[in-house]
Amino acid sequence: MRLLERHLLRHPSRRRTPHTRHHHHDPAGPCPAWRIDGDLATWAIHIHGLGSTRAGTLRGVLAATELGYTSLVVSYRNTAEGPRVGTGRTTFGYAETSDVDEAIGYAVRRGAEQVVIFGWSMGAAVALQLADHPRHPGLIAALVLDSPVLNWTEVIKSNCARSGWPAAAGHLAIPWLTLDPLARTVGLPGRIPLPTFDWTSRAVEHNTPTLILHGTRDDSVPIRLSQALRDARPDLVELETFDAGHTLCWNSDLDRWRNTVTAWLKVRIPR
């Protein structure tokens, strides 16, 4: 990924104006971000996943830059690059969504008329929350989601199994996230409403054109969740599969990943 970052920053053909660093400010504190300028009317917001960094989203920046969008690569609370809040524990996208929403506000104040959100893993869960309750109606035009978390209960169970624990351990963990007294016991600021992140059940409420890229060998976020959302909403959701693990679709076939994303966005957001 460091090679990709250097490639993006050094080759003018891959970007329209110099890469800049800035902080967008929200109640959590200053959140570092990168901005790569293009058309100021169309912005791409890039959201990394849990345990990752901004560098992991540069794969999407290459596609957005090819389309001429301005890109904003954001960070959020309680990550390696974002501000520390409370005990420093993740809230699985619940509180983090407000940090990214502030970044969207930054884009709007600088001329954004439409926004495409690229989300990776938990970043995709944040993207879906932002599209579900947009602060600026009509602003979010499309979502590009790689290995998206669409149901935290199922993802927690899968990760328990991957770690050699029984799947039942995932069920036992849920009350510690969703019940207020237990959540505070483990260092969370309060309960996390996991059902609001369950898009396998909330598919009928989804209303934003969405491209999902997902690896068939993903043992962290099951591809069947993406298939379920696609099957429930074929009018809005397109799924492209790769022979890859979690968030490794680009690594497995970078040309197909880029071509799929750019071709889909050209249709959804004609210029």
Side-chain angles (χ1 to χ4, degrees), residues 220-242:
S220 181
V221 176
I223 192 172
R224 60 181 169 78
L225 302 178
S226 291
Q227 292 166 334
L229 182 59
R230 185 270 317 276
D231 292 345
R233 295 305 307 271
D235 55 322
L236 284 177
V237 178
E238 184 171 327
L239 171 63
E240 188 79 10
T241 63
F242 293 77

Side-chain angles (χ1 to χ4, degrees), residues 176-233:
W176 294 88
L177 302 175
T178 58
L179 299 178
D180 196 67
L182 294 178
R184 294 183 185 279
T185 298
V186 295
L188 293 170
R191 73 178 192 90
I192 300 171
L194 292 187
T196 66
F197 290 86
D198 180 4
W199 290 100
T200 54
S201 297
R202 298 185 59 203
V204 68
E205 301 173 50
H206 183 59
N207 57 15
T208 305
T210 302
L211 173 63
I212 297 176
L213 307 116
H214 209 138
T216 57
R217 292 188 287 110
D218 192 333
D219 61 357
S220 181
V221 176
I223 192 172
R224 60 181 169 78
L225 302 178
S226 291
Q227 292 166 334
L229 182 59
R230 185 270 317 276
D231 292 345
R233 295 305 307 271

Side-chain angles (χ1 to χ4, degrees), residues 98-119:
S98 65
D99 301 337
V100 182
D101 197 29
E102 290 298 325
I104 293 176
Y106 169 92
V108 169
R109 292 190 297 272
R110 283 152 183 82
E113 297 174 4
Q114 56 184 350
V115 166
V116 176
I117 304 182
F118 286 69

Side-chain angles (χ1 to χ4, degrees), residues 84-185:
R84 180 183 173 89
V85 177
T87 61
R89 295 190 182 278
T90 181
T91 63
F92 297 92
Y94 181 53
E96 293 86 348
T97 294
S98 65
D99 301 337
V100 182
D101 197 29
E102 290 298 325
I104 293 176
Y106 169 92
V108 169
R109 292 190 297 272
R110 283 152 183 82
E113 297 174 4
Q114 56 184 350
V115 166
V116 176
I117 304 182
F118 286 69
W120 305 78
S121 191
M122 190 183 88
V126 171
L128 286 158
Q129 295 300 104
L130 291 166
D132 186 41
H133 294 293
R135 191 196 314 184
H136 308 279
L139 180 71
I140 299 174
L143 306 177
V144 177
L145 310 180
D146 193 302
S147 311
V149 172
L150 300 173
N151 181 321
W152 270 118
T153 299
E154 293 302 314
V155 169
I156 290 169
K157 286 166 54 180
S158 292
N159 281 275
C160 285
R162 182 164 61 98
S163 300
W165 298 350
H171 283 297
L172 294 174
I174 300 304
W176 294 88
L177 302 175
T178 58
L179 299 178
D180 196 67
L182 294 178
R184 294 183 185 279
T185 298

Side-chain angles (χ1 to χ4, degrees), residues 21-103:
R21 298 173 185 268
H22 79 284
H23 291 73
H24 64 270
H25 292 264
D26 62 45
C31 295
W34 293 327
R35 195 178 91 189
I36 300 92
D37 284 348
D39 176 8
L40 291 177
T42 304
W43 287 57
I45 307 295
H46 305 266
I47 314 170
H48 67 77
L50 180 64
S52 185
T53 66
R54 286 175 292 164
T57 72
L58 292 178
R59 297 165 280 192
V61 173
L62 292 174
T65 301
E66 182 176 327
L67 292 165
Y69 305 164
T70 287
S71 278
L72 192 63
V73 184
V74 303
S75 60
Y76 47 82
R77 70 187 66 193
N78 296 333
T79 60
E81 300 172 306
R84 180 183 173 89
V85 177
T87 61
R89 295 190 182 278
T90 181
T91 63
F92 297 92
Y94 181 53
E96 293 86 348
T97 294
S98 65
D99 301 337
V100 182
D101 197 29
E102 290 298 325

